[in-house]
Amino acid sequence: MKGIILAGGRATRLRPLTKITSKQLLPVYNKPMIYYPIQTLAKAGIKDILIIVAPEYSGQFLNLLGSGSEMGVKLSYEVQDEPRGLADAFIVGEKFIGEDNVTMILGDNIFDHDFTDNVVSFKSGARIFAKKVPDPERSGVVEFDKNYKVLSIVEKPEHPKSNYAIVGFYIYDNRVVKYAKSIKPSARGEIEIVDLHNEYLSRGELEVNIIEGMWEDAGTFDSLLRVNNIIAEKVKQGELK
């Protein structure tokens, strides 16, 4: 299993903070944001990691992280020239993925969930994760039947059919590269990851696991402030270093 961290994009919602640096290099209490997804993958046993970055910030990531040896991982880097959607990561990372399965985490998603069992037990298909939230319309939304079988997944719907949002941690088998290449860009010009989910769903090969605990998408001022406060408290309580 290989790992990808998607840390490209322009993060316009966080301007002017992101005018001169990447969102994923902003501080979350006592560490740069990018440390948290690296640690999440490493904790799950994934040590061979590709970080996908925007061209103007690539040097900053390299200066901060280097080879990854200080964090006990092996880091590679690829540049995403334009933010073409989450699923584009698998096209950019095709050579890195090779013949392996792959886990992707979004560079601004911070968890306290341990994904080890989910990664170790994965065989084939796709395995994604959902959490009950108060504002599902900000994310991809998964609809279940009474037995928690997936009925549909819709990206940022105006009228969500459930309160379960898809979080930024995804596990796919090697076919994900082929499927990503077959996706037609959406109206906003992006290769949508929801189309990948639906490709596997249509084949009966999509599994959605519900997670508890903390999940923060630190892409807005409010969520960035909130996760800083959460992490600060965990450090003070000795739960994190």
Side-chain angles (χ1 to χ4, degrees):
M1 181 72 71
K2 290 182 176 174
I4 291 178
I5 301 174
L6 183 55
R10 303 289 185 267
T12 54
R13 291 182 298 172
L14 286 175
R15 292 290 176 92
L17 296 180
T18 52
K19 194 170 183 179
I20 59 170
T21 193
S22 167
K23 168 175 56 177
Q24 290 84 7
L25 297 177
L26 295 175
V28 174
Y29 189 54
N30 60 348
K31 298 185 186 74
M33 188 185 299
I34 190 67
Y35 275 47
Y36 294 92
I38 292 173
Q39 290 169 343
T40 297
L41 290 178
K43 186 177 181 180
I46 300 172
K47 304 295 181 70
D48 193 357
I49 300 169
L50 173 70
I51 302 180
I52 297 177
V53 300
E56 59 266 43
Y57 306 130
S58 56
Q60 296 178 10
F61 280 94
L62 191 58
N63 287 339
L64 174 67
L65 300 170
S67 67
S69 59
E70 290 185 1
M71 300 184 72
V73 297
K74 176 186 175 184
L75 297 179
S76 306
Y77 302 88
E78 285 283 356
V79 170
Q80 186 184 41
D81 293 321
E82 294 292 336
R84 296 183 59 237
L86 303 187
D88 185 52
F90 303 106
I91 300 174
V92 174
E94 179 179 9
K95 290 183 180 179
F96 169 79
I97 296 168
E99 300 300 318
D100 294 312
N101 297 331
V102 63
T103 294
M104 182 170 78
I105 184 172
L106 303 186
D108 60 358
N109 276 223
I110 299 175
F111 300 90
D112 63 5
H113 181 79
D114 186 347
F115 291 96
T116 303
D117 290 343
N118 305 110
V119 169
V120 170
S121 64
F122 180 79
K123 300 300 181 185
S124 64
R127 180 174 290 170
I128 63 177
F129 301 85
K131 179 174 173 61
K132 197 171 186 177
V133 297
D135 52 354
E137 65 279 356
R138 287 185 56 211
S139 310
V141 175
V142 57
E143 176 191 8
F144 299 103
D145 66 13
K146 63 181 180 180
N147 297 315
Y148 284 92
K149 180 181 178 181
V150 180
L151 298 177
S152 69
I153 299 176
V154 180
E155 183 69 18
K156 297 179 180 178
E158 289 186 19
H159 305 288
K161 293 184 177 181
S162 84
N163 291 322
Y164 287 94
I166 300 297
V167 305
F169 191 98
Y170 321 91
I171 309 174
Y172 298 102
D173 64 21
N174 190 257
R175 291 174 293 169
V176 69
V177 175
K178 178 178 69 174
Y179 293 158
K181 288 181 175 180
S182 70
I183 295 173
K184 295 180 180 178
S186 65
R188 60 178 183 167
E190 295 192 358
I191 303 173
E192 305 285 359
I193 199 161
V194 70
D195 291 332
L196 273 182
H197 302 158
N198 284 319
E199 177 67 36
Y200 282 97
L201 178 60
S202 69
R203 298 169 181 270
E205 298 181 88
L206 178 73
E207 179 184 343
V208 180
N209 292 353
I210 296 172
I211 65 168
E212 305 293 339
M214 183 189 71
W215 165 58
E216 290 288 345
D217 174 353
T220 67
F221 292 116
D222 288 341
S223 60
L224 183 59
L225 175 61
R226 186 167 57 244
V227 77
N228 266 275
N229 289 330
I230 292 171
I231 296 298
E233 187 62 27
K234 286 179 176 292
V235 172
K236 292 171 184 176
Q237 296 296 326
E239 298 176 34
L240 292 174
K241 293 182 179 180

